[in-house]
């Protein structure tokens, strides 16, 4: 943080927020009506932590008469969505023999309280909902699961670390490290945070603490940095991974490669830290886009595997999910699934691109190399396989540094986390740069493979320092005959930049510490 340029939270962000909410509400309404007409749904009030009223709905298996108990699944809602969000999936789960309780998290819509951003009150609410379900439904206390999308995913993981009764979790498009998600590379992800803040004000009641956190975040107040990191750490499942492992819940994680709110990196790292039963799935798309069709009651791979996960670890069915390769990926290029025994096997091979020479660039101007627009760009990539693009030969070298590999003689299947190592010298004590990896075709048009921002503070002007930066994890196939290009510039609308006016950045490759990009590749 520091004296960065703070892009305004424009009306476009607010309009996008409202559109997403409206679309979700309209799309889910038919599912809610259908479920309600079946007589299997009850809308109830549940007393959450501190007596806060949580608006909820309960779906029970047909024919449940109190003579037997059923596995229980609790579904906290996503950020800004109403309690009907999960009704289509809740009905499917109930038809499979589960008691399902979905509730609106505190601070949103008709539920009471204020937005706690997955704080202690939200975690405690899950336990209170479980208490209520065990007392008021034919739920089996020995078979409790929790699941959710986005906000509900993070709350579910935190709850499993704090409540030993939870035996299985499905965390879809969630986070493991909240700080890394919206402050990776010490850089504020402004579009992501603005969207969350805007939705919170439209359909929720942010607490005074929450409002101050967003204010400090957008204000790039460096004096508040450690406080913000501590705030995010408390709300990060990764902080509680030891307790989660100790409790022994079976954890299913699913996300998308292009998630512009919760990047794939932090889920992959978290997955490796878990020691109990676990599964990790990545697909093309942006935040929560992989789950949308399932929320509308349509066939959906993520929700199918969620059901299989609960069927095995709650209902005790031998459906084979525990014997499958636990890491399942769908490439952005081919659309086919690939299975791996663990995350480190995903990019078992690698290719290094040397970043030779010394290149100086000027700051404060967007060169045209960008990570795209939140939601829109990754959804376009998901549906049409057209990621953000840039003409690599036409990028102005005054504001960009560019390195290109030789043409490849075969397909390069990029899998995992691209790593950049370089030496940087700034003319000011603070600065920001964004690194991009492009797939460059014969005409010089580059398709974005991955990117990531990096910000530094407190550096001595003119003194070089080393930088190691992980780009966002991905799965992308670079065709034979194409090149890989590494591009660095200093402005991207996705992030707040911290380059003082007139600053310059120099990228060098000392003989004793050469600069490079390491590209992880799937073994042929």
């Amino acid at each position: 943080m520091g004296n960065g340029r703070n892009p305004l939270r424009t009306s476009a962000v607010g309009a996008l927020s409202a559109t997403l909410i409206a679309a979700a509400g309209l799309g889910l309404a038919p599912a809610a009506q259908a479920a309600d007409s079946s007589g299997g749904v009850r809308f109830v009030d549940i007393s959450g932590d501190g007596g806060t009223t949580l608006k909820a709905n309960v779906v029970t298996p047909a024919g449940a008469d109190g003579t037997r108990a059923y596995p229980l699944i609790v579904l906290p809602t996503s950020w800004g969505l109403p309690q009907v969000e999960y009704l289509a999936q809740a009905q499917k789960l109930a038809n499979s023999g589960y008691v399902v309780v979905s509730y609106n998290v505190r601070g949103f819509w008709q539920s009471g309280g204020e937005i706690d951003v997955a704080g202690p009150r939200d975690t405690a609410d899950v336990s209170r909902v479980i208490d209520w379900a065990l007392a008021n439904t034919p739920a089996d206390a020995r078979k409790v699961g929790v699941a959710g999308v986005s906000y509900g995913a993070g709350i579910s993981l935190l709850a499993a670390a704090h409540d030993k009764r939870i035996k299985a979790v499905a965390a879809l498009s969630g986070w493991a490290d909240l700080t890394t998600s919206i402050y990776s590379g010490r850089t504020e992800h402004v579009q992501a945070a603005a969207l969350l803040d805007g939705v919170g004000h439209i359909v929720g009641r942010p607490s005074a603490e929450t409002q101050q956190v967003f204010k400090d975040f957008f204000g790039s107040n460096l004096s508040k940095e450690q406080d913000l990191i501590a705030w995010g750490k408390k709300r990060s499942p990764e902080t509680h991974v030891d307790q989660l492992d100790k409790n022994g819940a079976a954890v299913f994680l699913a996300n998308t490669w292009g998630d512009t709110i919760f990047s794939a990196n932090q889920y992959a790292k978290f997955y490796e830290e878990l020691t109990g039963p676990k599964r990790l799935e990545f697909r093309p798309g942006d935040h929560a886009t992989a789950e949308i069709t399932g929320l509308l009651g349509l066939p959906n791979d993520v929700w199918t595997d969620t059901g299989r996960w609960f069927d095995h670890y709650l209902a005790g069915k031998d459906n084979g999910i525990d014997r499958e390769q636990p890491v399942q990926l769908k490439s952005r290029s081919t659309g086919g699934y690939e299975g791996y025994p663990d995350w480190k096997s995903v990019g078992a091979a690698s290719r290094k691109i040397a970043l030779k020479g010394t290149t100086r660039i000027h700051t404060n101007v967007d060169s045209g190399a960008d990570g795209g627009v939140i939601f829109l760009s990754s959804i376009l990539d998901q549906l049409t396989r057209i990621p953000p693009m840039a003409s690599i030969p036409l990028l102005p070298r005054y504001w960009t540094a560019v390195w290109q590999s030789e043409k490849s003689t075969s397909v390069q299947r990029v899998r995992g986390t691209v790593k950049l190592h370089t030496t940087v010298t700034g003319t000011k004590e603070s600065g920001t740069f964004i690194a991009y990896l492009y797939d460059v075709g014969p005409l010089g048009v580059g398709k974005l493979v991955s990117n990531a921002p990096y910000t530094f503070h407190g550096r001595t002007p003119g003194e070089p320092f080393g930088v190691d930066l992980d780009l966002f994890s991905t799965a992308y196939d670079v065709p034979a005959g194409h090149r890989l290009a590494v591009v660095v510039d200093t402005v991207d609308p996705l992030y707040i930049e911290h380059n003082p006016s007139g600053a310059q950045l120099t990228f060098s490759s000392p003989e004793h510490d050469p600069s490079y990009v390491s590209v992880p590749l799937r073994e042929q």
Side-chain angles (χ1 to χ4, degrees):
M1 297 182 180
N3 297 318
R5 285 168 174 75
N6 186 357
L8 296 176
R9 285 169 283 169
T10 64
S11 57
V13 173
L16 176 59
S17 305
T19 300
L20 290 171
I21 295 167
L26 291 172
L28 291 171
Q33 291 167 5
D36 189 47
S37 65
S38 73
V41 178
R42 286 189 294 142
F43 290 88
V44 300
D45 290 349
I46 297 176
S47 181
D49 185 57
T52 297
T53 298
L54 303 174
K55 295 293 183 177
N57 54 70
V58 184
V59 189
T60 54
D65 56 7
T67 60
R68 58 163 290 193
Y70 300 88
L72 168 67
I73 297 178
V74 173
L75 302 170
T77 54
S78 302
W79 183 274
L81 292 186
Q83 60 168 308
V84 298
E85 175 185 7
Y86 301 116
L87 274 180
Q89 286 301 319
Q91 192 66 62
K92 288 187 176 183
L93 288 166
N95 292 343
S96 297
Y98 296 91
V99 171
V100 185
V101 180
S102 173
Y103 73 95
N104 235 126
V105 292
R106 65 172 53 232
F108 283 104
W109 294 87
Q110 288 81 26
S111 282
E114 296 177 324
I115 299 172
D116 195 32
V117 195
R121 296 182 185 89
D122 282 310
T123 302
D125 283 343
V126 176
S127 295
R128 301 293 80 76
V129 172
I130 294 172
D131 292 343
W132 182 93
L134 295 178
N136 295 277
T137 73
D140 190 336
R142 301 166 301 171
K143 301 176 180 180
V144 178
V146 184
V149 176
S150 184
Y151 193 42
I155 291 174
S156 295
L157 288 170
L158 289 164
H162 289 85
D163 195 322
K164 295 180 180 179
R165 297 173 297 181
I166 297 172
K167 304 303 180 184
V169 182
L172 317 178
S173 291
W175 75 91
D177 186 333
L178 188 57
T179 302
T180 296
S181 296
I182 59 174
Y183 191 52
S184 70
R186 213 177 174 187
T187 309
E188 297 90 345
H189 295 211
V190 65
Q191 285 189 15
L195 179 62
L196 295 173
D197 188 32
V199 171
H201 279 89
I202 293 170
V203 296
R205 298 170 300 282
S207 67
E209 179 189 36
T210 299
Q211 293 183 59
Q212 187 62 49
V213 163
F214 276 109
K215 181 179 179 181
D216 292 339
F217 182 88
F218 291 120
S220 302
N221 188 345
L222 193 59
S223 67
K224 298 289 186 179
E225 183 180 37
Q226 292 307 311
D227 292 339
L228 291 174
I229 290 174
W231 178 87
K233 186 175 181 180
K234 183 167 62 175
R235 290 161 167 80
S236 297
E238 188 176 56
T239 301
H240 309 281
V241 67
D242 289 343
Q243 189 61 48
L244 184 58
D245 286 336
K246 182 179 178 181
N247 289 350
V251 178
F252 170 51
L253 305 171
N255 208 341
T256 55
W257 296 119
D259 194 319
T260 44
I261 298 181
F262 304 131
S263 70
N265 295 44
Q266 43 94 36
Y267 247 19
K269 180 176 181 291
F270 181 63
Y271 173 82
E272 289 290 275
E273 295 171 350
L274 293 168
T275 59
K278 59 184 179 179
R279 182 180 178 94
L280 176 68
E281 297 183 355
F282 284 126
R283 297 173 174 83
D286 205 311
H287 183 66
T289 60
E291 296 85 12
I292 287 178
T293 56
L295 292 177
L296 301 177
L298 302 174
N300 180 275
D301 290 353
V302 186
W303 285 104
T304 294
D305 285 348
T306 296
R308 295 175 64 224
W309 191 253
F310 286 133
D311 283 347
H312 181 75
Y313 288 102
L314 286 188
K317 296 180 181 179
D318 184 13
N319 57 14
I321 196 169
D322 58 319
R323 296 187 294 274
E324 296 173 359
Q325 296 276 42
V327 176
Q328 294 286 323
L329 313 180
K330 179 180 278 191
S331 167
R332 292 164 50 200
S333 305
T334 64
Y337 282 101
E338 304 167 0
Y340 300 87
D342 48 41
W343 176 250
K344 65 178 179 288
S345 300
V346 170
S350 65
R351 176 186 181 185
K352 274 191 176 181
I353 301 173
L355 309 183
K356 298 178 180 179
T358 298
T359 304
R360 171 173 287 195
I361 63 174
H362 294 71
T363 65
N364 311 129
V365 172
D366 187 345
S367 70
D370 289 324
V373 178
I374 186 172
F375 281 114
L376 301 181
S377 297
S378 291
I379 291 175
L380 185 63
D381 187 29
Q382 177 184 1
L383 298 177
T384 66
R385 297 180 186 169
I386 300 177
M389 293 187 290
S391 175
I392 305 304
L394 297 181
L395 289 175
R397 286 350 188 224
Y398 190 77
W399 291 295
T400 54
V402 179
W403 299 266
Q404 294 193 70
S405 71
E406 297 297 323
K407 291 181 180 179
S408 61
T409 57
S410 60
V411 175
Q412 299 177 88
R413 294 180 172 86
V414 181
R415 299 291 186 274
T417 308
V418 177
K419 297 180 180 292
L420 165 72
H421 175 75
T422 189
T423 296
V424 179
T425 306
T427 59
K428 306 290 183 180
E429 61 90 23
S430 292
T432 296
F433 67 85
I434 304 92
Y436 308 88
L437 182 69
Y438 284 98
D439 158 25
V440 184
L443 298 179
V445 176
K447 295 182 178 181
L448 186 65
V449 177
S450 186
N451 68 293
Y454 183 89
T455 293
F456 61 89
H457 296 291
R459 293 290 180 177
T460 302
E463 184 175 302
F465 59 93
V467 170
D468 288 290
L469 176 64
D470 288 354
L471 276 62
F472 301 134
S473 301
T474 194
Y476 181 97
D477 294 350
V478 180
H482 285 210
R483 303 175 189 269
L484 285 169
V486 179
V487 175
V488 176
D489 73 359
T490 64
V491 177
D492 189 313
L494 288 172
Y495 313 110
I496 292 179
E497 54 108 348
H498 297 265
N499 296 297
S501 181
Q504 299 174 33
L505 299 177
T506 298
F507 298 88
S508 58
S509 183
E511 185 175 346
H512 67 280
D513 187 20
S515 296
Y516 63 87
V517 161
S518 178
V519 182
L521 301 174
R522 178 186 177 188
E523 291 185 327
Q524 300 297 328

